[in-house]
Amino acid sequence: MNAFSPHGFAAAPAPSSSPSADEAMRTRLFDQFNAFWVNASREGVPYDMIGTMSVTAAVYGLLAKHGVGTTAEFLEGMANDVRTGMFTVPPRPN
């Protein structure tokens, strides 16, 4: 299920809010996202599978909000960040 699935949720623009409300929302969502990862890994889901699903969901969200061109530019920038080591972490076994 994703933002474009006929059986999923319809993507809707986020309401405008203040910077402090945005930061509070980011913090809450970050905590929820981390809890999801911990729970999924405790259930035996491999990290690469969790990561693939998370990235896929994020791409659908970015497409719904920003469109193809902006999303592609963002992902190209992230690809360069990965190649230059910005996201370098030691490999982690499951």
Side-chain angles (χ1 to χ4, degrees):
M1 179 182 332
N2 59 56
F4 298 108
S5 169
H7 304 303
F9 298 100
S16 296
S17 58
S18 69
S20 61
D22 285 349
E23 187 56 35
M25 186 183 302
R26 278 195 230 22
T27 299
R28 182 176 54 86
L29 292 174
F30 186 75
D31 290 343
Q32 290 173 350
F33 186 74
N34 283 335
F36 164 78
W37 272 69
V38 168
N39 291 334
S41 68
R42 285 183 181 156
E43 292 175 7
V45 180
Y47 284 106
D48 61 332
M49 185 180 292
I50 300 168
T52 299
M53 296 306 298
S54 299
V55 169
T56 302
V59 170
Y60 280 114
L62 290 167
L63 284 167
K65 170 110 178 155
H66 301 288
V68 173
T70 300
T71 299
E73 288 177 20
F74 175 76
L75 293 173
E76 288 165 356
M78 286 202 70
N80 286 331
D81 291 343
V82 169
R83 286 185 191 101
T84 61
M86 179 182 269
F87 292 99
T88 301
V89 294
R92 182 174 179 170
N94 286 322

